[in-house]
């Protein structure tokens, strides 16, 4: 892990940009973190829109985590931001946009091409980043995962034993194969669903929630569209991580 920039935000949070091989990322640590008092870590997932585009929202989530005594970190997804273009992913995105613009159903072939290669490539990168992050002074376990592409979160929840709790943003572009993986998820889950999300199929999101194998899983459904998430939803998520990471 190579740090490329460092700044202290006005609330005392230390923000450091880094690269891990070809992968850019950002880590935020609260002022309370120290080698003698390491803090838990939340991995911040995000959609494949690029870290620069997502930075304001990611930084806001990270600062909230820091206020609760947690470090937070994120990495750039394959084919996004400043990373090399990924031709197959670009084609899948174009096929998705074309189907949605035409009002056509988004078929399994498009969903699989869009999501499965991204999951296969990004999950090992998240695990490599986790190795590096947990070696930093002041950061320790346990680890949570929050938001982003829900299929990536599902795979991480199954494959990564260091992640003890996860908060997911419900979405319907989930390959059928991921439902079987969802049945193997056993960690506590906090799932946020916008009831009138214009880009997601509500029933598909409910079916996925039903498939999760976790004994502790909570669905927080709010009225409104994709961008209408109420402010108090962040409080609910923060309480979830406080219970499981402290």
């Amino acid at each position: 892990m190579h740090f490329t920039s460092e700044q202290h935000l006005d609330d005392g949070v230390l923000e450091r940009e880094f690269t891990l091989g070809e992968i850019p990322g950002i880590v935020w640590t609260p002022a309370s973190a120290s080698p003698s008092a390491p803090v838990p870590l939340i991995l911040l997932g995000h959609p494949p829109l690029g870290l620069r585009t997502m930075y304001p929202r990611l930084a806001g989530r990270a600062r909230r985590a820091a206020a609760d005594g947690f470090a937070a970190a994120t990495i750039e997804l394959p084919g996004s931001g400043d990373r090399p273009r990924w031709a197959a992913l670009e084609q899948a995105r174009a096929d998705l946009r074309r189907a949605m613009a035409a009002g056509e159903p988004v078929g399994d072939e498009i969903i699989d091409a869009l999501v499965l290669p991204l999951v296969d490539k990004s999950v090992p990168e998240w695990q490599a980043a986790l190795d590096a992050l947990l070696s930093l002074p002041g950061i320790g376990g346990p680890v949570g995962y929050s938001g982003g592409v829900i299929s990536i979160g599902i795979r991480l929840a199954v494959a990564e034993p260091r992640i003890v709790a996860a908060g997911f943003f419900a979405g319907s572009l989930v390959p059928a194969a991921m439902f079987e993986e969802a049945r193997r998820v056993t960690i506590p889950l906090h799932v946020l669903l916008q009831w009138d999300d214009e880009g997601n199929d509500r029933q598909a999101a409910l079916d996925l929630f039903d498939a999760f194998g976790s004994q502790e899983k909570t669905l927080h459904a709010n009225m409104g569209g994709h961008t209408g998430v109420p402010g108090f939803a962040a409080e609910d998520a923060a309480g979830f991580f406080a219970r499981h990471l402290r």
Side-chain angles (χ1 to χ4, degrees):
M1 177 178 281
H2 173 66
F3 290 108
T4 57
S5 73
E6 177 179 311
Q7 65 171 330
H8 285 274
L9 306 182
D10 55 16
D11 48 7
V13 175
L14 175 61
E15 178 186 279
R16 289 174 288 177
E17 296 188 8
F18 64 84
T19 56
L20 187 67
E22 67 170 18
I23 308 166
I26 311 172
V27 57
W28 296 266
T29 49
S32 60
S34 69
S36 61
V39 297
L41 172 66
I42 299 177
L43 303 177
L44 301 180
H46 54 91
L49 301 175
L51 283 184
R52 299 302 168 197
T53 299
M54 293 302 301
Y55 173 81
R57 291 171 60 185
L58 287 165
R61 291 163 61 194
R63 294 172 83 158
R64 173 56 202 257
D68 292 333
F70 306 138
T74 192
I75 58 173
E76 187 73 87
L77 293 176
S80 296
D82 296 328
R83 296 188 64 177
R85 297 299 91 189
W86 187 355
L89 187 61
E90 296 285 336
Q91 183 60 55
R93 289 171 177 167
D95 292 341
L96 173 66
R97 289 192 295 268
R98 186 161 46 249
M100 295 182 71
E104 299 172 353
V106 180
D108 290 344
E109 183 177 347
I110 293 177
I111 294 174
D112 288 356
L114 181 70
V115 178
L116 291 177
L118 184 62
V119 172
D120 289 342
K121 187 172 177 63
S122 63
V123 167
E125 294 183 348
W126 272 112
Q127 291 180 293
L130 184 54
D131 290 340
L133 290 162
L134 290 179
S135 71
L136 296 176
I139 298 180
V143 179
Y145 176 85
S146 173
V149 178
I150 195 169
S151 291
I152 293 175
I154 292 169
R155 176 71 59 81
L156 275 170
V158 172
E160 182 47 72
R162 292 172 291 186
I163 295 176
V164 302
F168 293 151
F169 300 159
S172 61
L173 295 180
V174 180
M178 297 304 302
F179 278 71
E180 186 56 41
E181 292 195 45
R183 295 183 179 93
R184 295 163 51 201
V185 174
T186 59
I187 62 174
L189 297 178
H190 176 100
V191 182
L192 176 65
L193 171 64
Q194 285 302 103
W195 200 247
D196 304 303
D197 193 328
E198 60 279 6
N200 289 320
D201 181 87
R202 181 193 305 162
Q203 190 57 54
L206 294 173
D207 290 344
L208 180 62
F209 180 80
D210 190 52
F212 286 124
S214 303
Q215 290 297 306
E216 180 186 335
K217 57 180 180 180
T218 303
L219 180 68
H220 284 244
N222 298 291
M223 303 304 292
H226 188 74
T227 60
V229 180
F232 60 77
E235 298 297 324
D236 295 336
F240 168 80
F241 284 115
R243 289 195 303 275
H244 293 287
L245 299 185
R246 285 185 182 145

